[in-house]
Amino acid sequence: MKPFVLSAPLIVNWTLSFRCNFACNHCYSRAEDASAELSTAQIKSIMDTLAARKVSFINFGGGEPLLCSDLFELAGYASGLGFKVSMNTNGWLLDETRAALAKNAGFETVGVSIDSHRAEVHDGFRNMPGSFERAVNAVRQLRSNGVRVTMSSVICRINADEFVSLVDMAESLGVEQIFLHNYKCAGMGMTNRDELDLSPPEWREFYIKAMNLKAARSGIRISMDDPITATIKGGDAESPLVKGSTCGKLSLNIRANGDVTPCGFIPVPIGNLLRDDFDSIWRGSDVLGKLRNKEPKAKCLQCKHYADCLGGCSARAYAATGDFESPDPHCWFEPV
Amino acid sequence: MIDRPLRNPAIIWREEDELRDAAMAMLERGEDASGEGVMILLCAGVMHQLNMLGAEIWKRCDGEHTVDAIAAGLAEVFDAEPDEIAADVREFVSDMQRRGWLAE
Ligand code: SF4
């Protein structure tokens, strides 16, 4: 069947606040202005708009969403409108009481960030002593309150050689799905890129191992969600209908002040939901148009995988070169 | 074959109204709309699209409609004979069952 542009995104990632109680080495949002935030009423009104467009998922990210005093009220409102609601948290504030509140608010899943199975490595990466223990405890509290838990791990130099142990740990904690996120060179991720990012051949090696593990494991879902995996035989193929990056095709991002960006890692506002009509942004944005209709450039012109890869991750390409259409800097293809 | 198919509740789906209208208009003009996606389904992280026939069957998989009742409903929408369309419905229901799109 022919590909089509959806009438609205399926997934909205929403940064309610850029405030955070951590200062992680890879964070894309730490440099952002944490002062401008929408009121509870404004957020609910935007949720009404999204519900009318039949958006299916709202995922709260940040910053740390649990620092928002209205988080559970908003999640309850969103789930009442029929959204599948989730969030990503560092887990520090997710104690027994908040786990119960998350359940009552209708959170479908909660993603907890854990980047190493070794406490000292995780704590060092997150610059927060004790954060590993609190994150593991958050997973346990959520599970005992009947909330489905996913785990998010940013793959980089601290864990790429040990990711199997990370998956083992997630499985033993009863986590349903682990997201092995690719390292994004945005925000602090750009500042610390030399120290933390893998080289293109190392990414290739990591993905081959991760895909083999994914095929071998039935107790936990392993997701990589990186368009560049389309270049590996038997690639991740999580969403074969949508090639390349999903931002602006399946998903959209809302920032704390109501600005809309294609994804959290592309800091290019394409409108503001206090001011602009949602459909005009989704259908009319030149930036989204460009992301949906990428043209190959440089080495992508010689690559047989372009139809599936579409130049890889547009956010990484943009961060590294200022051009969405440049080849993904993680790409290992070497033209002859 | 399940007698009264029921959608797997874990699957997220959305009918795309404009695309549906466009496919409907094609049918009315006597054109082939079988290649036109009008509904998206998200199943275990994988997205699929359905054409109008698939979408109309999917919407009726509510655990109440029998396969024959689904075929009768579709015959009205597509202005076809129920017997003609019943074979397509059976085939699609088996396919959905095999893919895990229907509740056990
Ligand atoms: S050269 Fe371009 S299309 Fe080919 S794998 Fe690399 S980023 Fe993807």
Side-chain angles (χ1 to χ4, degrees), chain A residues 1-11 53-57 84 221 237-242 250 283, chain B residues 9 12-19 26 34-40 42 44-51:
Chain A
M1 251 176 272
K2 288 188 290 192
F4 54 80
V5 177
L6 299 181
S7 56
L10 267 184
I11 305 156
R53 302 300 182 282
K54 301 200 273 187
V55 170
S56 303
F57 298 89
K84 306 269 181 201
R221 269 172 69 197
E238 291 248 313
S239 203
L241 203 53
V242 176
L250 286 183
R283 292 164 195 264
Chain B
I12 307 291
W13 55 283
R14 182 171 82 192
E15 188 167 31
E16 296 285 302
D17 297 335
E18 282 178 24
L19 294 167
M26 284 176 75
S34 59
E36 305 296 312
V38 302
M39 180 183 279
I40 44 174
L42 199 61
V46 181
M47 203 168 95
H48 307 267
Q49 61 180 327
L50 299 183
N51 63 11

Side-chain angles (χ1 to χ4, degrees), chain B residues 25-85:
Chain B
M26 284 176 75
L27 286 180
E28 278 160 15
R29 291 195 299 270
E31 295 168 21
D32 177 15
S34 59
E36 305 296 312
V38 302
M39 180 183 279
I40 44 174
L41 248 60
L42 199 61
C43 179
V46 181
M47 203 168 95
H48 307 267
Q49 61 180 327
L50 299 183
N51 63 11
M52 237 180 104
L53 181 66
E56 292 300 321
I57 297 173
W58 175 256
K59 284 192 287 181
R60 288 168 174 77
C61 290
D62 54 5
E64 304 274 324
H65 286 75
T66 62
V67 169
D68 287 341
I70 293 174
L74 261 62
E76 260 179 56
V77 175
F78 294 103
D79 196 17
E81 286 302 315
D83 286 353
E84 264 174 44
I85 224 154

